[in-house]
Amino acid sequence: MTEALIVNGVVIANGVKDSDGDILTKKDIKTIFMKYQRDTDTMHTNIKNFGVEVFASWISEVDTIIDGKIAPEGSWLATLKVTNEKLIQCINEGKLKGFSLGSVSEKAFTPKYWFINKSLNYRDIKDIEEVIPLFISFVDKPANQYNFEVMTYDAYINKNEKKES
């Protein structure tokens, strides 16, 4: 059996323009964050991953360094434990590098706008309250431009024990 991996990364960076041209405020991020149901998928397939546990999901209260890059205070961060062997292999091979939030708007749940794997640009939504977060998606090129940090489960436990000493 493959050893579990811990991935720590940015879901949405506060005030940082992503590669889709979206910029969200701390208030917008909190609004979306409060609706998240703790599911993950891969490459925005909308198919739930198994063998992934959300250890922590939070809005940062201070600037946080993730993989050598500063995520501003007010960013949505997440730490996930991965035991799914195919995902572990893809992460270890560098095929999956970061997180992206898969979301739809309430409008997407009406027959006129029914979606199948349709991308959502936040700038196209009139009211951020309409955003429904579905999955934190493991992706190859995160739009937020933050790669996640990867460590073994044992390294993660040892890292936290050293901080507490």
Side-chain angles (χ1 to χ4, degrees):
M1 182 172 165
T2 307
E3 182 180 7
L5 289 182
I6 302 297
V7 290
N8 187 44
V10 177
V11 180
I12 303 174
N14 178 29
V16 177
K17 185 184 229 180
D18 69 16
S19 64
D20 294 328
D22 291 325
I23 303 172
L24 293 178
T25 66
K26 182 178 180 178
K27 181 180 178 191
D28 292 340
I29 294 167
K30 280 185 176 181
T31 299
I32 297 168
F33 170 83
M34 294 303 292
K35 297 179 187 180
Y36 175 60
Q37 298 297 309
R38 302 179 73 87
D39 287 325
T40 69
D41 74 348
T42 304
M43 297 297 296
H44 295 296
T45 59
N46 295 322
I47 300 169
K48 180 181 174 169
N49 285 329
F50 291 92
V52 177
E53 178 183 347
V54 178
F55 264 10
S57 177
W58 73 100
I59 304 296
S60 64
E61 295 182 9
V62 296
D63 290 353
T64 305
I65 297 174
I66 302 288
D67 194 42
K69 210 173 163 186
I70 296 174
E73 169 269 332
S75 295
W76 179 356
L77 308 177
T79 302
L80 285 63
K81 177 183 174 186
V82 181
T83 56
N84 178 309
E85 291 190 20
K86 289 194 184 285
L87 278 177
I88 289 172
Q89 181 179 355
C90 288
I91 292 166
N92 284 335
E93 292 174 357
K95 293 178 182 174
L96 298 173
K97 298 179 181 173
F99 297 137
S100 177
L101 186 66
S103 300
V104 294
S105 74
E106 290 176 1
K107 201 187 270 190
F109 288 109
T110 64
K112 182 177 178 185
Y113 295 99
W114 193 253
F115 78 97
I116 297 178
N117 206 14
K118 182 162 173 52
S119 176
L120 170 71
N121 290 319
Y122 298 109
R123 67 183 174 278
D124 297 333
I125 302 296
K126 290 178 181 33
D127 183 356
I128 206 72
E129 293 282 341
E130 290 182 18
V131 175
I132 301 169
L134 299 176
F135 299 101
I136 290 178
S137 193
F138 290 83
V139 295
D140 56 353
K141 295 177 186 168
N144 65 27
Q145 302 170 54
Y146 286 85
N147 289 342
F148 46 54
E149 298 173 322
V150 181
M151 62 191 92
T152 64
Y153 180 78
D154 288 340
Y156 175 75
I157 296 299
N158 291 335
K159 177 181 174 185
N160 288 340
E161 284 179 358
K162 289 176 187 170
K163 283 182 181 178
E164 291 173 7
S165 301

